[in-house]
Amino acid sequence: MTLNIGDKIGKLTILCIEKEIINRQHRIYCLCRCECGNEKRIRMDSITRKNGVRSCGCLAREKSKERNSTHKMTHSITYQSWQSMRNRCNNPQNPSYNNYGGIGITICERWNNFENFLLDMGERPSKEYTLDRINVNGDYEPCNCRWATQLEQQNNKRNNKTLTCYGETHTVSEWARILGIKDSIIYTRIRRNKTPEQCLSIVDNRKFHFK
């Protein structure tokens, strides 16, 4: 999608288009006038991407006010999780964007509305739980999300390796918890091409029995 002067996107009208070179990277900015009267300079790719910027910020404030008047959960941990999900996928300035929106992870249209997200997921059980995608390469949508503990999320990472030993298969994180050794030690042994038995060996030769 290419923008030109005079184009209208959401509540924004493009007044001027400027190119800049920052750290040898070419970036294009648009000077926009919002329907509310404010003018704001915004990166073009923030406007052209899916679910991109559509106002100077007044639209988000209006929607937030509307949501708060209906579900009364703006300050809840469930709402915080929903907002964090949206920032990871939609905001290039978010520190986690490169691992989510930056690699194509999106949010289903239904979950652009917090009430729908709450209806599908229910309230976040506690601060011990966070929003987890069952298929780590899939999008945020009802059939692919759950509330999970930190350990469950750790075992569900894209780069989590499994080892089969003693007749059982577990992730490195699970083996570390079972054996009482650091997962960094196991990963170091894997990089040194050790056998599964060597990777999971205990320094003091204690015996471990598995059910």
Side-chain angles (χ1 to χ4, degrees):
M1 179 181 180
T2 302
L3 296 178
N4 299 298
I5 295 175
D7 286 350
K8 185 174 177 61
I9 306 293
K11 301 181 71 172
L12 300 173
T13 299
I14 309 299
L15 301 180
C16 179
I17 298 176
E18 304 170 341
K19 296 182 179 180
E20 287 188 3
I21 300 177
I22 301 177
N23 296 328
R24 298 183 180 180
Q25 294 185 347
H26 292 263
R27 294 179 179 176
I28 303 177
Y29 289 84
C30 297
L31 177 63
C32 306
R33 178 180 291 123
C34 186
E35 288 180 359
C36 71
N38 288 334
E39 292 187 2
K40 188 171 183 179
R41 191 167 178 264
I42 307 170
R43 279 179 56 170
M44 181 180 283
D45 58 356
S46 295
I47 301 174
T48 56
R49 61 183 168 78
K50 184 179 179 181
N51 300 322
V53 177
R54 295 296 179 264
S55 74
C56 68
C58 63
L59 184 60
R61 290 191 293 270
E62 290 171 3
K63 289 184 176 180
S64 178
K65 183 177 180 180
E66 181 181 350
R67 286 192 297 265
N68 194 37
S69 65
T70 54
H71 56 70
K72 308 293 184 183
M73 294 186 66
T74 302
H75 302 293
S76 69
I77 57 175
T78 307
Y79 189 83
Q80 291 169 10
S81 291
W82 178 74
Q83 284 280 49
S84 296
M85 169 189 70
R86 290 170 57 80
N87 280 328
R88 290 193 296 272
C89 292
N90 299 333
N91 181 9
Q93 305 304 318
N94 186 280
S96 299
Y97 177 80
N98 289 340
N99 293 322
Y100 292 87
I103 60 171
I105 301 298
T106 62
I107 303 169
C108 67
E109 185 175 352
R110 174 176 170 80
W111 280 4
N112 286 329
N113 179 282
F114 174 71
E115 285 86 353
N116 290 337
F117 173 81
L118 180 62
L119 182 64
D120 294 335
M121 291 298 300
E123 292 190 43
R124 181 176 167 184
S126 72
K127 289 186 177 181
E128 301 298 320
Y129 289 78
T130 52
L131 187 62
D132 181 42
R133 284 169 297 120
I134 299 169
N135 174 2
V136 294
N137 296 309
D139 296 327
Y140 283 100
E141 53 188 344
C143 64
N144 193 42
C145 289
R146 61 178 178 173
W147 295 115
T149 63
Q150 184 176 3
L151 178 60
E152 289 170 332
Q153 287 217 23
Q154 184 72 20
N155 289 332
N156 197 32
K157 284 186 175 181
R158 290 188 193 93
N159 60 353
N160 209 345
K161 185 175 180 60
T162 60
L163 287 175
T164 299
C165 193
Y166 311 122
E168 296 188 13
T169 299
H170 297 287
T171 65
V172 169
S173 296
E174 288 172 329
W175 276 121
R177 178 172 54 84
I178 292 169
L179 297 171
I181 60 178
K182 294 181 179 180
D183 55 3
S184 60
I185 293 177
I186 300 176
Y187 276 119
T188 298
R189 293 170 177 172
I190 291 174
R191 287 194 295 271
R192 292 174 179 173
N193 296 318
K194 300 293 184 180
T195 65
E197 290 77 11
Q198 291 172 326
C199 289
L200 302 176
S201 66
I202 308 301
V203 175
D204 59 7
N205 294 319
R206 287 177 297 173
K207 300 295 183 181
F208 286 84
H209 300 279
F210 301 91
K211 296 180 179 180

